[in-house]
Amino acid sequence: MVNFSSWTTDKNLKKGIKEWYKYYIKQFKSDEKNIIDKILNEVTFYDYSTLLKIKNEYFDNLYKIYVTLCKPIICTTIKDNKTHNSYSFISDFKSKSMNFEVNVNKISLDDYEEIIIVDDYSGSGDSIIKTINKIIEKNKSIKIIIFPMICTQFAKTNIYDYFKIKLPYINSEIYTLITRDIHYISEGNILDDYEKSIFEKLSIELCKVRSEFLYGYNSCEELLSMYYFTPNNTLGFLWWFENNNYESFFGRNDNNKFYLSTNKFGNDVKKIIKLLISRCKKTEDKKKKTLLILLLLGYSKELSSFYLRIPPKECNEHIESFVSKKYLDKTNFNNPGENINKYLDYSKIIIFLSMRKSEIEISKIVINLNSLQNR
């Protein structure tokens, strides 16, 4: 059995995680379940409140470094202008009084004397090293400061060695707030050799994890997830989302495009959601409407909050809004209010629910919803 007490102190979130675990673990055979439990017991999970404290401490330390510099600018490792799984982290910079640009390619580096590369997480250091190379192509005399919020010792060593061997002439400094040890499987003695063979088999055959992510990107064997994303350095089966017959415990991310809660719902639930949110243009509107749909489908608010990576406080605020607008019944959040059809076509949910013959079990629903498209 998995002890989730270290994951969060939020009772509602903990309830949601335990509720999801009951669905998730049914996908595995008995001997596989013991291995899954062993791995999950070693996972570090940062919920909203924990990560908020970490981010506040990180920004305090970042600012202390920033004010000691002459003409600094901050950039990320993102190479385009799209929102990524680090969007929650990046958006915090908008309220800070520091020079900041997401994409290093958009910076005129001759205007600055120092550049700070930031990231919420660095597992292998690859993204940071690629960003370093972009910087020195444009300015070989600028001082480069590396400061990821969370960083593995493996990544720190890779970055340090890269500067030492490839770029000894560059003035550089490396900081991090939290340093993590990795390689939990090969060095952590979590699984014996027989259990490792079962783990590899279920990852490949059941979860269909691509070989390069079997042990996480760059074989980091990380066991970390945050409320808004899971690093791809984490063991692949925990977040892999490209197999419709397998529901991963964590989601890879819920930014950039709407993943319908990172593949955690059965195909038919995802179809009804997609059908009902098709006219929503903004990601936040999609997520808000999806929350309402899940409640009307019978999911608890705790489980819906966890699936959609919506902080419990924000989830409660949305539900209060649904009730005040009479989209939901105030006495039972799984029942519609009298104004529900002003917000979404509830008739399609009625049809969906009437087609189901048993209690919601995410991985077992087999219903064809294509007929709804023409209703």
Side-chain angles (χ1 to χ4, degrees):
M1 193 64 185
V2 182
N3 180 11
F4 295 110
S5 59
S6 64
W7 289 30
T8 181
T9 57
D10 186 298
K11 292 181 181 179
N12 289 332
L13 178 57
K14 192 179 297 183
K15 182 180 177 180
I17 295 172
K18 289 179 178 178
E19 194 173 339
W20 165 242
Y21 171 79
K22 291 177 184 177
Y23 289 121
Y24 170 77
I25 203 66
K26 290 178 182 179
Q27 300 174 103
F28 303 98
K29 300 175 183 176
S30 57
D31 58 339
E32 296 171 340
K33 290 178 181 179
N34 292 330
I35 295 171
I36 301 302
D37 284 356
K38 282 186 177 184
I39 293 173
L40 285 175
N41 271 317
E42 298 297 324
V43 167
T44 297
F45 178 76
Y46 291 134
D47 66 3
Y48 178 80
S49 59
T50 300
L51 201 60
L52 181 62
K53 293 176 183 177
I54 293 172
K55 285 198 291 186
N56 287 339
E57 184 179 353
Y58 173 77
F59 279 110
D60 286 344
N61 282 274
L62 177 62
Y63 186 73
K64 289 176 182 177
I65 295 172
Y66 183 89
V67 296
T68 65
L69 304 175
C70 297
K71 293 178 66 177
I73 188 166
I74 298 169
C75 76
T76 74
T77 59
I78 291 176
K79 58 187 177 182
D80 54 40
N81 297 316
K82 299 178 181 179
T83 54
H84 293 253
N85 49 31
S86 297
Y87 176 75
S88 176
F89 170 76
I90 293 168
S91 62
D92 290 327
F93 281 93
K94 295 179 181 179
S95 61
K96 308 299 178 182
S97 55
M98 296 181 282
N99 291 326
F100 173 74
E101 176 59 59
V102 173
N103 188 345
V104 69
N105 292 323
K106 297 182 69 175
I107 302 174
S108 177
L109 290 176
D110 290 337
D111 297 335
Y112 301 95
E113 294 183 18
E114 306 97 354
I115 186 166
I116 306 174
I117 303 175
V118 299
D119 204 350
D120 51 355
Y121 174 84
S122 181
S124 65
D126 279 6
S127 295
I128 289 177
I129 290 172
K130 289 175 183 177
T131 305
I132 292 169
N133 287 333
K134 291 177 185 175
I135 292 170
I136 61 172
E137 285 176 3
K138 300 169 73 174
N139 188 332
K140 289 183 171 60
S141 62
I142 194 169
K143 181 177 181 179
I144 302 176
I145 298 165
I146 313 299
F147 192 15
M149 183 171 67
I150 303 169
C151 186
T152 67
Q153 184 58 53
F154 178 61
K156 286 174 69 175
T157 300
N158 286 343
I159 296 166
Y160 176 82
D161 288 347
Y162 190 78
F163 275 121
K164 184 178 179 180
I165 298 170
K166 300 281 188 178
L167 306 169
Y169 56 89
I170 296 293
N171 186 3
S172 63
E173 296 175 7
I174 304 174
Y175 302 94
T176 188
L177 186 65
I178 296 174
T179 301
R180 289 182 55 79
D181 291 321
I182 50 174
H183 299 118
Y184 283 90
I185 302 299
S186 59
E187 298 177 8
N189 298 319
I190 297 175
L191 307 177
D192 60 31
D193 289 342
Y194 174 70
E195 290 171 328
K196 287 178 187 177
S197 66
I198 296 178
F199 156 75
E200 290 183 355
K201 184 176 180 179
L202 71 87
S203 294
I204 295 169
E205 296 183 2
L206 172 63
C207 311
K208 307 296 183 185
V209 178
R210 289 214 309 262
S211 58
E212 63 263 42
F213 296 112
L214 178 63
Y215 283 97
Y217 179 72
N218 237 322
S219 297
C220 285
E221 302 174 30
E222 174 67 283
L223 290 175
L224 173 69
S225 186
M226 307 179 208
Y227 79 93
Y228 64 96
F229 94 114
T230 306
N232 64 4
N233 307 88
T234 291
L235 297 181
F237 85 97
L238 287 172
W239 55 267
W240 192 251
F241 54 88
E242 293 185 9
N243 177 17
N244 290 331
N245 296 316
Y246 169 71
E247 304 289 346
S248 61
F249 193 80
F250 296 113
R252 175 70 176 110
N253 64 69
D254 59 354
N255 298 303
N256 192 28
K257 59 182 177 178
F258 192 60
Y259 281 101
L260 297 180
S261 189
T262 53
N263 207 35
K264 285 192 171 56
F265 305 113
N267 287 336
D268 309 311
V269 176
K270 285 188 286 187
K271 285 181 181 179
I272 188 68
I273 291 172
K274 187 174 182 179
L275 183 66
L276 290 169
I277 68 171
S278 60
R279 295 185 180 181
C280 294
K281 294 182 179 180
K282 295 182 179 179
T283 298
E284 192 58 35
D285 292 339
K286 291 179 180 179
K287 185 177 288 188
K288 186 176 178 180
K289 184 168 280 191
T290 299
L291 171 62
L292 177 60
I293 295 167
L294 290 175
L295 293 169
L296 293 172
L297 289 175
Y299 290 90
S300 68
K301 69 175 183 179
E302 292 83 14
L303 196 57
S304 301
S305 172
F306 179 63
Y307 286 164
L308 295 173
R309 301 297 194 268
I310 299 176
K313 182 180 178 181
E314 183 181 335
C315 181
N316 288 332
E317 290 173 352
H318 287 324
I319 292 174
E320 289 174 7
S321 175
F322 295 149
V323 170
S324 68
K325 294 175 181 178
K326 298 184 180 180
Y327 299 154
L328 284 181
D329 185 280
K330 64 181 179 180
T331 60
N332 187 336
F333 298 153
N334 294 126
N335 289 337
E338 60 186 75
N339 292 335
I340 184 61
N341 285 307
K342 292 182 179 180
Y343 190 55
L344 58 81
D345 186 353
Y346 186 63
S347 65
K348 287 183 170 58
I349 292 181
I350 294 175
I351 295 170
F352 176 80
L353 291 174
S354 68
M355 293 168 69
R356 304 173 79 178
K357 295 180 180 180
S358 60
E359 180 183 357
I360 294 173
E361 289 193 10
I362 295 171
S363 62
K364 294 182 179 180
I365 302 171
V366 183
I367 301 169
N368 187 348
L369 291 176
N370 292 334
S371 60
L372 290 180
Q373 297 284 354
N374 300 319
R375 290 181 180 271

